[in-house]
């Protein structure tokens, strides 16, 4: 078991560009979560999937953000027309439905210049 | 809505015990968690407690839950310099999705 992995670890982009991040959960975990963490704050929930279905979205997830999990395994989070306020650490977590331990990946740090 | 509060900073000497405190407002919280985050890294799950428990012990870690006061604490015995990190309290409300609401984190500094 290699744990939750995220790619890339760091991304620097210019304002207005689109970016996409990938998360690979622990292999048997059917729930996958995205959180955002800004500097000096705790993580905030963005969205989660159960298998391939996106079941909940936070109001933090503006229409510039879209997440997918097409085959119920890895997930992608895309941000269109990035803004400086999108600069943050994007964290992915996974769990097995019916259990209560969420395991986090190392995160993708996004810097929008 | 849910709110989780933590003090910002705690400094202890190596070998002492550390106690990190957390308060939450959602009375329907089902599970409460402690995570550790080292610089530039993701979150490491340390322990969690179900809301019908008062205490949970796991090696050097002791979690105490006062459900009446909505107060959670994490005690680290024999604190080591490797324990220096940010500690986050999180709660999971009684919903099917188990989305976590985090506090702002407590930075623990362990002095040799």
């Amino acid at each position: 078991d290699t744990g939750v992995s995220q790619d890339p670890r760091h991304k620097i982009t210019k304002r207005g560009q689109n970016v996409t991040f990938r998360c690979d959960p622990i292999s048997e975990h059917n729930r996958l979560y995205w959180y955002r963490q800004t500097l000096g704050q705790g993580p905030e929930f963005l969205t989660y999937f159960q298998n391939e279905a996106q079941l909940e979205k936070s109001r933090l997830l503006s229409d510039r953000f879209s997440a997918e999990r097409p085959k119920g395994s890895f997930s992608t989070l895309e941000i269109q027309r990035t803004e400086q306020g999108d600069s943050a650490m994007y964290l992915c977590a996974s769990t097995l439905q019916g259990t209560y331990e969420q395991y986090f990946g190392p995160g993708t740090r996004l810097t929008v210049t | 809505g849910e709110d989780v509060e933590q003090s910002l900073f705690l400094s202890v000497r190596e070998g002492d015990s550390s106690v990190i405190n957390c308060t939450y407002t959602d009375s329907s919280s089902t599970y409460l968690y402690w995570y550790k985050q080292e610089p530039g890294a993701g979150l490491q799950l340390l322990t969690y407690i179900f809301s019908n428990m008062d205490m949970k012990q796991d090696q050097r870690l002791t979690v105490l839950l006062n459900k009446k006061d909505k107060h959670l604490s994490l005690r680290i015995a024999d604190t080591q310099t490797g324990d220096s990190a940010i500690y986050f309290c999180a709660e999971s409300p009684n919903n099917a999705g188990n989305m976590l609401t985090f506090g702002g984190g407590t930075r623990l500094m362990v002095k040799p």
Side-chain angles (χ1 to χ4, degrees), chain A residues 11-107:
Chain A
K11 178 72 178 178
I12 300 174
T13 192
K14 291 186 193 288
R15 191 176 55 188
Q17 298 293 305
N18 299 342
V19 293
T20 300
F21 311 139
R22 176 179 169 127
C23 170
D24 286 87
I26 293 171
S27 58
E28 67 270 23
H29 286 184
N30 63 335
R31 282 191 174 174
L32 185 149
Y33 302 79
W34 286 100
Y35 292 83
R36 181 174 70 185
Q37 184 180 24
T38 52
L39 204 59
Q41 304 295 318
E44 295 173 293
F45 168 75
L46 292 178
T47 188
Y48 95 96
F49 293 83
Q50 182 166 300
N51 302 311
E52 64 275 8
Q54 188 174 18
L55 295 187
E56 187 85 20
K57 289 195 284 188
S58 161
R59 59 180 181 274
L60 291 176
L61 211 67
S62 78
D63 56 8
R64 296 184 297 106
F65 288 67
S66 62
E68 294 184 341
R69 194 182 184 201
K71 297 181 181 177
S73 56
F74 72 90
S75 175
T76 57
L77 178 67
E78 181 184 15
I79 310 174
Q80 295 184 326
R81 305 181 303 282
T82 51
E83 301 172 356
Q84 286 188 319
D86 297 330
S87 295
M89 176 83 91
Y90 290 84
L91 294 162
C92 176
S94 72
T95 191
L96 186 62
Q97 183 185 357
T99 67
Y100 299 95
E101 300 142 322
Q102 282 189 30
Y103 295 96
F104 282 77

Side-chain angles (χ1 to χ4, degrees), chain A residues 9 31 33 35 37 40-45 48 56 89 91 95 99-107 109, chain B residues 8 30-31 33 35 37 40-45 48 88 92 95-105:
Chain A
R9 294 291 308 276
R31 282 191 174 174
Y33 302 79
Y35 292 83
Q37 184 180 24
Q41 304 295 318
E44 295 173 293
F45 168 75
Y48 95 96
E56 187 85 20
M89 176 83 91
L91 294 162
T95 191
T99 67
Y100 299 95
E101 300 142 322
Q102 282 189 30
Y103 295 96
F104 282 77
R109 180 167 296 283
Chain B
L8 287 178
T30 306
Y31 282 89
Y33 301 79
Y35 282 86
Q37 187 176 39
L43 277 72
Q44 176 192 352
L45 177 62
Y48 64 96
F88 291 96
S92 168
N95 63 45
N98 199 39
M99 298 86 76
L100 300 181
T101 299
F102 285 86

